[in-house]
Amino acid sequence: MLIENTALAHDRKANSGKRPRSKRTGKSDSGGNAAPKAARSASSEKKREPPQRAQSDAPFGSILFPAGCEQLRNETGEMPECFTDLNLDQVIAAVIAKQDATVLQPFFYSTYRDAEILRYRQDVFRELANDDLRSSVTSFCERMNRVRLELGYAKKIQYKCHRQVVIFRAIRIYCQSIETLASEFRNFDLISEGFLGFRRHLEKYRSSEEFAELVEEARDLQERLSTVQYSMLVHGGKVTVRKYASERDYSAIVLDQFKRFRTETNQETERKPRDTESMNHIEEGILDLVGKLYPEIFSALQDYLRRHDRFIDETMALFDREIQFYLTLLAYIAPIKQKGLAFCIPEISASDRAGFACESFDLALAAKLVGEKQGVICNDFHLDGPERMIVVSGPNQGGKTTFARMFGQLHFLAGLGCPVPGRKAKLFLADQIFTHFEREEDISNLRGKLEDELVRLHETIEAMTDDSVVILNEIFNSTSLQDQIFLSRRILEAILATDALCVCVTFIDELSSLNEKTVSMVSTVVPEDPATRTFRIVRKPADGLAYALSLAERRKVTHEQLLKRIPR
Amino acid sequence: MKVFLMHPDRDFVPAKEAAFDDDDFAQDLELGVLLDAMAGNDGYLDDIARAALAGAWSNDAGTILYRQEILKDCLANDGIVRELYALALEPFSEDKRRFYIPFGMDPASKVSSSVSTLQMSLDVLRRIRNTCNAFYKTFHSRGFNRLFETLNDNLDDDYLASVKADLERLKFNEGVLVSADLGESGKGANFMLREPQEKDRHMIQRLLPSSQPSFTIQIHPRDEAGAHALGELQARGLSLISDALMQSAEHVFGFLKLLRAELGFYVTCLNLNDRLKGIREGICFPVPSEKQGSFSCLDLRDTCLALTVNGKVVGNDVDADGKSLIIVTGANRGGKSTFLRSVGLAQLMMQAGMFVTAEAFSSSLHSGLFSHYKREEDRSMTSGKFDEELVRMDRIAARIRGRALVLFNESFAATNEREGSEIAHQIVSALLERAVMVLFVSHMYEFARSFLDRKDVLFLRADRDDAGKRSFRLRPGKPRATSFGPDLYKGIFGAPKVSSRSDLVKM
């Protein structure tokens, strides 16, 4: 039965030919080549050969794709349609932050249903829970970034002597970054296929003759450069440069003279260096004179640089780019975790629709609240047996939309191979995620709002498959109650006719019990004070009990709560 | 060099921000009145008084007694202490702006301003030392004696003379000599300022380096960027010496700052004493008790009320040793709030090391003071208002620690008495389990009754005397089921009408 459905869905998708119109292009009504309003993903499993289990000696290529799966790489630089509604646009923008967006965005925009790829990534994430490993890799990337910055800077330098010193420094940082990484990696007990493969490559490269030469010559040269010491006498409009001749440190003398007035509060007056990387023409001129004071050292430097003009290994460079996918995401969730919110690697399946999440939350909201030092309310859900659709009702501003977003985010993140918000989760790998969120009326839209909504929903119904996830948030709010009940019922029935997963936020109670596939969940309030929401979405309807004690409990000032709160 | 007038072992560091913004008790105790009397329109003294009061809760009994000793010296030597304070103020006065060590200046100006700061500060310190030496016999406290010793040990005339000569050398007439290594980026690194060359004394050494090769860049007169770069290079050298000099200047200047702040606290106490003397309010030095559960007072008056009415006010005698909860019931306008405030103020002043307005006052040390007062007169019975009270309790719970002191004034009465009493009971009993001392003024009979059987509870009642007039004195007494609102009504309106207010109170 299930298999038949899936096959049917594939057929329907394959035959639909023209891609459905997105809701936003729907509004602007330009027609034509609109992109589907869904998370783009590789519906690739049928094209591909059964995956070869990677051999331990298979050459390492990428930390995002296991050996043998690299040809499945299908990245898009275009933001998935569901991003704005799910607030994933904010999340990913913050994840990427100051990193290079053109490199990182495609990683975060492209989901996969291939369990081998996703488990490869999940294993890498798991391995990165090791603080030592993570900080080792992070430092490596920071050094590589410095190498790139130095080389970029060197290109702009006019003065030869100065340019050589800068490139030389870049090479030394590079050598050090490889050596540090290799020696640190030797001590890690690695399990993930990704890191094991990477370590093999790293080890091979580090012990290559080419690299050894680069390192040893740099060491010799640096030793000679560090012997350079000079002094400058500044007086009037001139500066005289000569080798340093053991004059006494004057600042130490002055400090000593006044040390009896020292108190611990002002002892550590900070001395802020105003160092910039760039040099002005006087400094560059001085460096030239220093070159004249030490001519043998500087000609050896010139020769070294000429022989090593392309020194960066390509696989290392790729790793440096791709590992950012993991590091940036982990860095983003770290402060959220620190507030006691849990993340987990979800159990994933491209076929089993039963799923759940414990103590999960809206990632975008959590990041915001954590920044504002506010608490975050977690919610659970589970879909068992025949259950496919969660109908969320209850008072407004009670966290219903947040719950719906959370559901969508969980399923998208699972398709990236990422950890997801929650203590534990099992998630279905969706081919696409469709979202319909209430938007402000757009006056440039010629069609009525209701009609537009219907058109968009129709496109979704047409484009969705048994493998899709659909999020409906307060649909048909612009029409009469009778219409809403009628239309909503029709739409939900159409979705229920497929095997897709769905969350529907509505205030229409009767939608919550259409059939055995629907699950009713309710946003709850503090009974005593209906203006106050708990932001908990539960399977039971709220009861109307109101006691002063429940108020006190909410303010955490009951006898028991106070005893816990007040330190002795 | 340390001042050590506030703590026997550390500096007094007044917080930059005005304290008490988060503290309801500042409002409830009318702390502003006390601060005005202490500071007398002086913004700086106001900051000091606030900081001293805000820091009161972390003082141990030793510190409190240490300050009491010093304060007694101050009361006996009012004029001399004010003179010392005036000297310590001198560097901060309007016409001595050059004393200020400004930030963000170029190193050359830093050097010269540091040198002048040092010269001036040391001069002021010398005069303070001389004043101290003239009057030391009339001071007996450990604090003052130690300060006098510090000044004499560190500022002997020989040392002052040698410093004066050192400061003269710091003018760099022969140019600035800077040494450097070759840094990673090719820029100079590890810049060090080297000792200035004095032509006469170092003639031979100068011959040696000059025999080595040297190259010179001469800036073109119109090369402004070059001149600027050269200035920066010189600043690199001078910034090393200017930081060292700034540190030294800040050391000396910092001592003066501390002296001003710590003497300032005692000056605020002298100011308060002057005000109280003017209205014939007597003071006493309280007795801090390290052990928990002691509280007793004789004729304890509300300092702020006395300052406000400009005259003597009625005090209370309470013996609550061994009690951890005092419940005050009884007539409206019977002096209950005044009593609550007098306890809070006396506790605060005692822990800050000050005197209090009482004949005698002794109390355990508390880890903090919190107040929870009914905010308005109305009793709207809305849950929003009750919730607001709980929110304030929540705020208190977030900050309170064991052994604190909490003052409740008609709290949790914004709902019906059954609910309010239950909540109040839960809260108070939790506080008592954490060794918090609680004073609770309440009309809620149900609440008061729930503690009737406990031995560690003292009940006080605001009674009318036989003539029906209030005495404003509290006496031990069990709570009664009614209040005295109708009396007030009668007092104000005269006619013995049926009062609706008494119904409200009974609810």
Side-chain angles (χ1 to χ4, degrees):
Chain A
M1 175 71 174
L2 188 79
I3 297 163
E4 267 178 36
N5 267 349
T6 314
L8 254 171
H10 280 311
D11 282 346
R12 184 162 57 180
K13 192 176 176 197
N15 295 338
S16 65
K18 198 173 129 190
R19 311 205 88 169
R21 195 185 336 226
S22 78
K23 78 182 144 182
R24 261 170 298 176
T25 38
K27 274 180 192 168
S28 60
D29 197 26
S30 55
N33 56 345
K37 172 187 162 33
R40 192 178 286 217
S41 71
S43 52
S44 51
E45 69 231 287
K46 47 191 171 161
K47 291 181 223 153
R48 197 165 75 78
E49 316 285 296
Q52 291 287 330
R53 193 78 201 114
Q55 299 302 307
S56 66
D57 56 351
F60 172 83
S62 162
I63 196 72
L64 287 175
F65 297 93
C69 293
E70 278 128 320
Q71 74 276 15
L72 291 178
R73 190 190 280 266
N74 179 19
E75 281 162 1
T76 172
E78 197 180 313
M79 186 188 289
E81 288 273 352
C82 66
F83 257 44
T84 319
D85 283 342
L86 296 181
N87 284 348
L88 279 171
D89 54 343
Q90 301 168 22
V91 171
I92 298 307
V95 166
I96 292 173
K98 287 172 201 149
Q99 307 286 331
D100 189 344
T102 54
V103 171
L104 279 177
Q105 273 168 354
F107 301 157
F108 287 108
Y109 289 168
S110 315
T111 55
Y112 295 88
R113 299 193 71 205
D114 184 289
E116 196 187 350
I117 294 175
L118 298 179
R119 298 224 168 88
Y120 183 80
R121 294 180 179 191
Q122 290 186 340
D123 287 346
V124 171
F125 269 118
R126 268 196 200 94
E127 195 113 70
L128 280 170
N130 178 345
D131 290 340
D132 293 338
L133 174 69
R134 198 174 60 251
S135 78
S136 168
V137 173
T138 304
S139 319
F140 169 72
C141 292
E142 278 162 9
R143 291 194 197 100
M144 288 295 279
N145 189 42
R146 267 198 72 196
V147 171
R148 279 192 300 276
L149 289 175
E150 296 285 355
L151 291 177
Y153 171 50
K155 278 187 194 143
K156 295 178 197 147
I157 299 174
Q158 307 289 327
Y159 290 71
K160 192 167 143 195
C161 213
H162 180 207
R163 183 170 62 243
Q164 288 170 345
V165 172
V166 170
I167 297 173
F168 179 60
R169 179 173 54 173
I171 296 181
R172 288 180 55 238
I173 296 168
Y174 174 75
C175 293
Q176 194 213 341
S177 71
I178 297 289
E179 292 205 306
T180 307
L181 191 69
S183 86
E184 285 169 348
F185 259 65
R186 244 166 268 148
N187 295 324
F188 295 135
D189 289 327
L190 299 175
I191 318 164
S192 69
E193 190 190 328
F195 274 120
L196 283 169
F198 174 67
R199 177 162 69 185
R200 280 194 308 278
H201 174 81
L202 176 62
E203 204 45 56
K204 199 172 124 202
Y205 172 62
R206 199 207 63 90
S207 53
S208 70
E209 209 169 294
E210 164 203 4
F211 183 72
E213 193 186 295
L214 190 70
V215 171
E216 272 160 37
E217 287 184 39
R219 200 173 294 143
D220 291 348
L221 260 177
Q222 178 55 27
E223 222 162 83
R224 299 174 68 189
L225 282 167
S226 67
T227 61
V228 171
Q229 258 193 319
Y230 58 101
S231 59
M232 297 158 285
L233 182 66
V234 185
H235 195 207
K238 65 183 180 190
V239 54
T240 301
V241 183
R242 60 178 191 232
K243 290 186 179 176
Y244 167 63
S246 311
E247 291 96 343
R248 284 210 296 169
D249 175 3
Y250 193 50
S251 53
I253 296 171
V254 171
L255 259 185
D256 188 55
Q257 264 157 343
F258 292 94
K259 76 172 168 218
R260 70 166 69 181
F261 295 120
R262 201 166 281 216
T263 62
E264 63 266 33
T265 40
N266 54 15
Q267 191 165 13
E268 289 166 26
T269 307
E270 103 285 20
R271 169 191 299 174
K272 48 172 184 245
R274 309 152 296 173
D275 276 323
T276 55
E277 290 290 298
S278 62
M279 284 167 76
N280 59 49
H281 67 287
I282 298 298
E283 289 172 304
E284 292 185 307
I286 289 173
L287 183 58
D288 267 356
L289 299 185
V290 173
K292 276 198 200 171
L293 288 170
Y294 298 90
E296 340 69 49
I297 298 179
F298 278 83
S299 69
L301 176 62
Q302 182 173 4
D303 176 57
Y304 173 80
L305 296 179
R306 196 175 34 73
R307 284 183 288 113
H308 299 284
D309 62 334
R310 303 190 61 129
F311 60 92
I312 298 178
D313 177 66
E314 274 175 26
T315 305
M316 295 306 300
L318 182 67
F319 173 82
D320 173 39
R321 282 200 298 277
E322 291 188 336
I323 197 71
Q324 295 302 331
F325 168 76
Y326 301 94
L327 296 179
T328 54
L329 190 87
L330 289 173
Y332 175 78
I333 68 179
I336 304 172
K337 267 173 128 167
Q338 223 166 33
K339 296 285 161 181
L341 293 169
F343 284 82
C344 66
I345 306 266
E347 202 183 312
I348 47 172
S349 168
S351 58
D352 185 3
R353 281 159 178 75
F356 65 87
C358 298
E359 294 176 42
S360 187
F361 50 89
D362 175 345
L363 190 50
L365 184 66
K368 180 166 165 276
L369 293 182
V370 164
E372 293 165 2
K373 301 200 164 30
Q374 293 191 53
V376 178
I377 304 298
C378 294
N379 276 299
D380 302 344
F381 72 83
H382 57 95
L383 290 170
D384 301 322
E387 294 166 353
R388 296 289 179 267
M389 178 181 288
I390 298 174
V391 178
V392 188
S393 57
N396 287 330
Q397 309 296 321
K400 291 180 297 182
T401 300
T402 300
F403 178 86
R405 281 205 182 100
M406 171 188 98
F407 189 88
Q409 290 172 2
L410 284 171
H411 285 85
F412 188 88
L413 292 171
L416 291 176
C418 289
V420 299
R423 191 156 305 284
K424 200 160 185 263
K426 175 174 185 294
L427 298 166
F428 175 68
L429 294 172
D431 62 351
Q432 301 174 85
I433 296 176
F434 296 93
T435 56
H436 284 262
F437 275 49
E438 170 83 357
R439 288 281 172 86
E440 296 297 311
E441 187 92 44
D442 182 353
I443 51 162
S444 70
N445 181 9
L446 298 177
R447 263 194 292 249
K449 190 175 177 179
L450 178 62
E451 190 185 352
D452 178 53
E453 222 173 341
L454 271 173
V455 167
R456 287 192 283 123
L457 281 165
H458 178 253
E459 285 168 0
T460 296
I461 301 291
E462 286 294 302
M464 66 179 284
T465 72
D466 284 331
D467 295 332
S468 299
V469 165
V470 184
I471 315 272
L472 306 177
N473 190 27
E474 310 265 9
I475 48 172
F476 304 130
N477 265 9
S478 56
T479 182
S480 72
L481 179 64
Q482 244 183 342
D483 278 356
Q484 279 181 57
I485 296 173
F486 173 79
L487 292 171
S488 301
R489 190 184 272 273
R490 289 288 165 278
I491 296 293
L492 294 198
E493 278 167 359
I495 294 171
L496 286 168
T498 70
D499 214 16
L501 299 182
C502 177
V503 168
C504 173
V505 174
T506 179
F507 66 91
I508 305 166
D509 290 349
E510 47 267 56
L511 295 179
S512 64
S513 50
L514 287 177
N515 64 24
E516 82 287 352
K517 294 172 86 173
T518 58
V519 173
S520 168
M521 295 184 78
V522 179
S523 65
T524 53
V525 295
V526 174
E528 173 81 2
D529 181 7
T532 310
R533 273 56 172 166
T534 65
F535 301 107
R536 286 195 192 283
I537 313 289
V538 297
R539 274 201 174 206
K540 280 200 267 188
D543 59 25
L545 285 179
Y547 291 115
L549 264 177
S550 71
L551 271 182
E553 205 165 276
R554 180 163 51 100
R555 299 302 177 192
K556 305 187 295 281
V557 295
T558 64
H559 180 258
E560 238 170 86
Q561 289 168 317
L562 283 177
L563 283 184
K564 276 189 197 136
R565 295 177 70 185
I566 303 175
R568 281 172 197 275
Chain B
M1 273 169 70
K2 298 281 193 182
V3 178
F4 287 149
L5 286 179
M6 289 296 274
H7 299 278
D9 52 0
R10 63 190 159 92
D11 294 339
F12 172 58
V13 186
K16 190 89 185 141
E17 301 300 316
F20 306 123
D21 287 348
D22 294 342
D23 288 295
D24 284 341
F25 82 74
Q27 182 189 339
D28 295 335
L29 298 184
E30 310 221 14
L31 208 56
V33 174
L34 181 69
L35 287 165
D36 282 351
M38 292 174 77
N41 286 331
D42 183 324
Y44 176 74
L45 287 180
D46 187 69
D47 289 347
I48 293 299
R50 279 173 191 275
L53 291 174
W57 312 115
S58 52
N59 295 333
D60 57 11
T63 303
I64 292 168
L65 295 174
Y66 184 80
R67 288 187 192 179
Q68 286 187 1
E69 265 183 43
I70 295 172
L71 184 51
K72 283 172 191 164
D73 266 351
C74 291
L75 291 172
N77 296 283
D78 187 312
I80 299 161
V81 171
R82 288 183 188 273
E83 189 185 326
L84 286 174
Y85 178 65
L87 275 171
L89 269 187
E90 218 178 82
F92 305 93
S93 62
E94 278 295 314
D95 57 331
K96 292 280 169 63
R97 282 192 179 278
R98 65 201 149 178
F99 267 91
Y100 281 108
I101 300 175
F103 290 93
M105 285 168 51
D106 65 288
S109 326
K110 272 191 199 168
V111 168
S112 67
S113 96
S114 296
V115 166
S116 72
T117 300
L118 277 165
Q119 285 169 334
M120 300 296 217
S121 301
L122 290 171
D123 179 58
V124 169
L125 282 172
R126 185 182 51 80
R127 280 147 60 210
I128 289 175
R129 183 201 63 181
N130 291 345
T131 304
C132 290
N133 288 345
F135 295 103
Y136 75 96
K137 278 184 184 162
T138 55
F139 288 82
H140 307 290
S141 62
R142 285 168 291 163
F144 270 116
N145 280 320
R146 236 163 92 186
L147 175 66
F148 298 166
E149 263 173 45
T150 302
L151 290 171
N152 279 308
D153 288 354
N154 286 285
L155 300 174
D156 52 292
D157 288 329
D158 286 350
Y159 178 69
L160 290 178
S162 86
V163 164
K164 204 172 171 182
D166 292 335
L167 292 173
E168 283 304 310
R169 286 185 66 216
L170 291 164
K171 298 200 169 162
F172 301 104
N173 289 327
E174 293 85 25
V176 176
L177 182 66
V178 181
S179 74
D181 303 342
L182 190 57
E184 294 265 306
S185 58
K187 275 173 99 86
N190 300 325
F191 289 99
M192 297 286 274
L193 185 70
R194 297 299 171 176
E195 195 168 24
Q197 301 176 344
E198 289 170 50
K199 287 170 192 166
D200 305 333
R201 281 171 51 202
H202 294 286
M203 193 58 97
I204 302 161
Q205 281 148 328
R206 283 192 73 216
L207 287 175
L208 291 171
S210 68
S211 67
Q212 297 208 344
S214 72
F215 304 96
T216 298
I217 299 176
Q218 175 79 48
I219 306 297
H220 190 277
R222 279 194 307 221
D223 181 2
E224 282 181 30
H228 181 74
L230 211 57
E232 273 185 0
L233 190 60
Q234 174 166 321
R236 270 191 186 283
L238 279 185
S239 77
L240 298 164
I241 194 74
S242 71
D243 285 347
L245 274 176
M246 282 266 280
Q247 282 184 358
S248 305
E250 277 169 7
H251 294 165
V252 177
F253 200 62
F255 180 81
L256 278 170
K257 262 191 196 162
L258 269 181
L259 191 62
R260 173 175 71 144
E262 302 202 5
L263 277 175
F265 168 70
Y266 294 99
V267 169
T268 64
C269 294
L270 291 177
N271 288 345
L272 177 61
N273 185 49
D274 285 352
R275 280 286 310 275
L276 293 172
K277 260 200 288 196
I279 55 175
R280 301 219 171 81
E281 265 292 347
I283 58 170
C284 77
F285 278 92
V287 181
S289 166
E290 289 275 23
K291 73 176 201 313
Q292 280 303 296
S294 66
F295 180 88
S296 64
C297 60
L298 280 179
D299 197 18
L300 172 65
R301 279 110 42 201
D302 175 354
T303 314
C304 288
L305 182 62
L307 289 168
T308 305
V309 303
N310 255 316
K312 261 188 91 77
V313 292
V314 177
N316 281 295
D317 304 340
V318 173
D319 179 0
D321 277 337
K323 309 290 186 187
S324 39
L325 169 63
I326 301 178
I327 294 179
V328 188
T329 59
N332 287 328
R333 296 190 45 91
K336 302 191 299 282
S337 300
T338 303
F339 170 66
L340 215 55
R341 194 163 54 211
S342 70
V343 172
L345 281 170
Q347 188 72 34
L348 175 65
M349 290 163 74
M350 176 184 85
Q351 295 200 223
M354 300 168 67
F355 44 72
V356 300
T357 52
E359 202 180 313
F361 183 83
S362 170
S363 172
S364 307
L365 295 185
H366 292 296
S367 64
L369 172 62
F370 299 88
S371 67
H372 190 280
Y373 276 37
K374 183 183 67 174
R375 274 285 169 249
E376 284 153 43
E377 280 302 320
D378 85 9
R379 295 183 148 202
S380 62
M381 305 274 292
T382 61
S383 62
K385 190 155 168 48
F386 182 59
D387 191 38
E388 187 272 336
E389 291 195 286
L390 294 173
V391 168
R392 277 191 283 127
M393 188 60 223
D394 177 30
R395 278 213 305 267
I396 291 175
R399 298 168 60 201
I400 196 171
R401 289 176 295 135
R403 303 195 299 107
L405 171 64
V406 185
L407 312 175
F408 289 100
N409 198 354
E410 302 201 25
S411 300
F412 312 118
T415 179
N416 66 62
E417 182 165 344
R418 194 188 61 77
E419 285 182 343
S421 296
E422 170 62 22
I423 298 293
H425 182 86
Q426 290 211 9
I427 289 170
V428 169
S429 44
L431 292 173
L432 295 181
E433 282 178 57
R434 287 291 173 266
V436 171
M437 179 164 174
V438 177
L439 272 72
F440 206 127
V441 167
S442 181
H443 281 296
M444 297 189 295
Y445 178 68
E446 278 298 315
F447 163 71
R449 202 177 58 170
S450 69
F451 286 100
L452 273 177
D453 296 335
R454 285 182 66 145
K455 290 226 160 46
D456 59 344
V457 181
L458 175 69
F459 290 96
L460 295 176
R461 211 167 53 212
D463 277 330
R464 49 185 176 175
D465 60 16
D466 296 336
K469 286 172 76 180
R470 303 307 192 302
S471 67
F472 295 107
R473 265 183 190 273
L474 304 179
R475 295 196 176 82
K478 301 281 184 196
R480 291 174 184 163
T482 52
S483 190
F484 294 87
D487 291 1
L488 271 182
Y489 186 86
K490 202 162 68 179
I492 296 165
F493 289 86
K497 287 178 189 165
V498 179
S499 166
S500 59
R501 186 167 166 80
S502 64
D503 296 332
L504 265 176
V505 170
K506 276 179 196 163
M507 268 167 66

